[in-house]
Amino acid sequence: MEFTMPARAPLSTAISDRLAARIAAGDLMAGDRLPSETDLAEQFDCSRATVREALKRLAARNLIRTARGASGGAFVNDLTYAAALDAHVATSTLLLSMNAIDFETAAEARFALERACADLAVANQAPDDFAALGRAIDRLAEPIDDEAFCAADVAFHRALVDTARNPVLSYQLAGAVEAMQPLMNMLTYAERDRATILAHYRRIANALRAQDAGEIRQTLQDLERLMIALFQTARDRRRSR
């Protein structure tokens, strides 16, 4: 996973980030009206077109909504957890796609975060968790195409993370699992053996049922090594062509 660094962010992105930071800090609360385009353009010393682009970025992140008419304008949304989660995944995907992050570093971070859930998953597990993991495993065992396999793969890891019953961890790991896992699969699918992946996931499910957090962490570490090895094989194969 070798990417070039993105160019310097446009002014509209900097403005949207500044406004988003004010929303996050509570300076702008749900329902508050943002200053007018004219006032924002004067504040940031830019054109109204740049301000409009910044507002579009905030709306795409579900941070604001716009209304027309005399009483219209841009208003801060009452951001829900689900909307914040979607925005986090979208941002993580964009960052991973644009920044120069090598595969090994990204895999190390992604699996380290998931291993952090092991103890909480064991402590907070419920019968429904095994059903969710079982559905993902059953789907992965079917003769499905790569896209469906990837979706089931992500579902398995999300189910494991959600078993920890910690919304902060679930939020943080959504970016790692839903953004990173598909990218890892895309880069390694040609070298991947589905039966091997499935065997690791069954080990995790069995370890969870046995309340063995150490085995969960060990299996996730084995998966990390496997994914890095698969990527390196795929990379070497591309270079030899």
Side-chain angles (χ1 to χ4, degrees), residues 9-144:
L11 180 57
S12 60
T13 300
I15 293 172
S16 67
D17 287 345
R18 289 274 298 277
L19 292 172
R22 290 186 61 190
I23 294 171
D27 294 336
L28 293 169
M29 304 292 289
D32 284 353
R33 187 207 303 260
L34 269 65
S36 68
E37 288 184 5
T38 300
D39 289 341
L40 287 171
E42 182 177 345
Q43 177 183 341
F44 291 105
D45 192 22
C46 64
S47 68
R48 289 181 61 186
T50 299
V51 169
R52 281 194 293 272
E53 182 62 29
L55 295 179
K56 287 179 182 178
R57 292 176 182 274
L58 289 173
R61 295 165 64 181
N62 206 32
L63 292 176
I64 66 168
R65 66 185 186 280
T66 56
R68 297 182 180 278
S71 60
F75 298 86
V76 178
N77 267 341
D78 184 6
L79 190 61
T80 64
Y81 178 82
L85 200 65
D86 289 342
H88 179 52
V89 171
T91 301
S92 297
T93 302
L94 182 62
L95 288 173
L96 288 167
S97 298
M98 294 180 66
N99 283 295
I101 304 172
D102 64 83
F103 187 95
E104 291 84 350
T105 298
E108 178 183 50
R110 176 249 179 283
F111 281 104
L113 286 168
E114 191 166 356
R115 285 194 295 271
C117 294
D119 287 324
L120 287 173
V122 164
N124 298 323
Q125 60 180 281
D128 288 347
D129 299 320
F130 297 109
L133 290 169
R135 284 192 298 271
I137 287 174
D138 288 344
R139 182 63 171 152
L140 289 164
E142 295 174 1
I144 52 180

Side-chain angles (χ1 to χ4, degrees), residues 150-183:
C150 178
D153 196 25
V154 170
F156 176 87
H157 288 281
R158 280 307 310 271
L160 177 62
V161 167
D162 290 342
T163 299
R165 299 286 189 281
N166 186 303
V168 177
L169 275 175
S170 290
Y171 175 82
Q172 294 296 334
L173 271 157
V177 172
E178 296 192 23
M180 172 57 67
Q181 193 68 21
L183 185 56

